[in-house]
Amino acid sequence: MKTALIFIQVAMLIVLSPLVSGIIRKIKNNIRMRKGAGIFQPYYNLAKLFAKEEVVSDTTSWIFRAAPFVVLASSVCALSLVPVFSPALSFSNMGDFLSLIFILALGRFFIALAGLDAGSAFGGMGSSREMFISTFVEPVALLSIFAVSLNAGSTNLASVSAPAVLRLSSIIAALSLFIVTIAETSRIPVDNRETHLELTMIHEAMVLEYSGRPLALIELASHIKQILFFSLIAAVVIPWGDFALKMAAIIIAVSLIEVSVAKMRLFRAVDFLSFAFVLSIMAVIVSAAGY
């Protein structure tokens, strides 16, 4: 019964993940006083991509074809480790937060390889930038979740999310993980998923050679990764208060940031992520002090 409920939770989050992207885009359009597309536009985009014919370069290897499936599978596996609606509803007994970070790193590794495998200048540039950003993002994500795991005395995500107690270390860890979430989901000011300007692309540069169903799988994986990080903050790092309200607050915060600031230059993003690293170190120290 528990296993069935976990599968239902994961399936529900996968179905809802494009809706989160649609709501963020709608809020941004409303703030800018534009009509824009509806909140269901990401679903229409996915349906259109699944129906399109795939075009693949003759110079690519099996890595290029396998990468979309690895990226999607790693996102779904990582999502199954996160207890969203209840501490009992996850497969966290099969892996702790370290497993979650490494599973996501596997997907990042393959999509970076696929960017290089295509042999295009943009793909290589995007892969190089993605690996550069990941050297800052992954340590911050590890330290942020480690800080809240110190409060629970366990690295198991279900144990970390079980005590509904708000601590100072959890708030600091949530701030640092929120900055990481902006970088991991390719959002302004670190990246801009809505542009194809070669000087600013990071994630989009790696997937320029994809089309049709493989591109749809990569887009779906990015929606899943986004709701995964939002859920990590709302259900694990701050396991206090109403989950829906926390998710709404995160969605509104992301939307406001995207319409308020411009995209940073790549090397300025390092300062932004370094600030998150300092916050994560501070969260560990405060947590070790018992707050």
Side-chain angles (χ1 to χ4, degrees):
M1 183 64 182
K2 177 186 171 183
T3 303
L5 289 175
I6 294 172
F7 278 118
I8 292 172
Q9 173 185 275
V10 172
M12 187 185 303
L13 291 171
I14 292 172
V15 171
L16 291 176
S17 59
L19 182 64
V20 173
S21 300
I23 292 173
I24 291 174
R25 187 177 297 175
K26 189 66 179 176
I27 292 173
K28 286 163 53 182
N29 285 328
N30 287 340
I31 294 172
R32 291 166 176 159
M33 289 188 274
R34 297 175 182 169
K35 185 177 180 182
I39 59 174
F40 299 109
Q41 187 61 42
Y43 293 99
Y44 302 143
N45 293 342
L46 287 174
K48 185 171 64 176
L49 287 174
F50 274 115
K52 278 192 172 181
E53 184 183 357
E54 178 186 356
V55 179
V56 182
S57 170
D58 294 334
T59 61
T60 55
S61 69
W62 65 271
I63 292 176
F64 187 82
R65 292 182 178 277
F69 296 96
V70 176
V71 172
L72 181 62
S74 64
S75 299
V76 173
C77 288
L79 187 62
S80 68
L81 296 178
V82 180
V84 177
F85 299 118
S86 166
L89 292 182
S90 76
F91 290 121
S92 59
N93 57 339
M94 300 172 66
D96 55 12
F97 76 85
L98 292 171
S99 306
L100 183 141
I101 299 297
F102 284 122
I103 289 171
L104 290 175
L106 176 67
R108 186 203 306 277
F109 175 68
F110 262 82
I111 199 65
L113 280 183
L116 294 170
D117 191 52
S120 70
F122 288 155
M125 179 195 70
S127 299
S128 172
R129 289 180 175 180
E130 179 76 9
M131 290 296 104
F132 176 69
I133 293 293
S134 71
T135 58
F136 295 90
V137 165
E138 288 176 1
V140 176
L142 279 170
L143 286 172
S144 299
I145 306 178
F146 177 66
V148 290
S149 71
L150 281 178
N151 295 332
S154 171
T155 58
N156 185 283
L157 290 172
S159 301
V160 173
S161 66
V165 179
L166 185 63
R167 294 173 182 263
L168 178 60
S169 57
S170 300
I171 296 173
I172 300 173
L175 287 174
S176 60
L177 193 61
F178 180 74
I179 295 174
V180 165
T181 300
I182 289 174
E184 283 282 21
T185 55
S186 307
R187 293 204 169 273
I188 295 173
V190 178
D191 195 2
N192 186 358
R193 63 199 306 177
E194 297 175 0
T195 181
H196 287 106
L197 181 62
E198 63 271 18
L199 293 176
T200 61
M201 283 189 297
I202 297 178
H203 179 78
E204 287 298 314
M206 292 187 297
V207 302
L208 273 181
E209 297 295 323
Y210 281 105
S211 60
R213 285 186 290 275
L215 183 58
L217 295 178
I218 292 172
E219 288 293 321
L220 179 58
S222 69
H223 293 312
I224 295 171
K225 193 175 181 182
Q226 176 175 261
I227 202 169
L228 184 153
F229 272 92
F230 287 5
S231 300
L232 260 182
I233 297 173
V236 177
V237 179
I238 305 183
W240 178 83
D242 186 73
F243 175 76
L245 288 177
K246 287 182 286 185
M247 285 292 283
I250 293 170
I251 289 171
I252 292 171
V254 169
S255 306
L256 289 175
I257 289 172
E258 286 218 321
V259 297
S260 305
V261 300
K263 184 191 175 302
M264 295 177 179
R265 293 171 59 192
L266 183 62
F267 292 101
R268 288 292 305 277
V270 173
D271 298 334
F272 185 60
L273 294 172
S274 297
F275 175 66
F277 182 74
V278 172
L279 281 178
S280 64
I281 292 284
M282 189 185 300
V284 172
I285 294 172
V286 172
S287 178
Y291 296 99

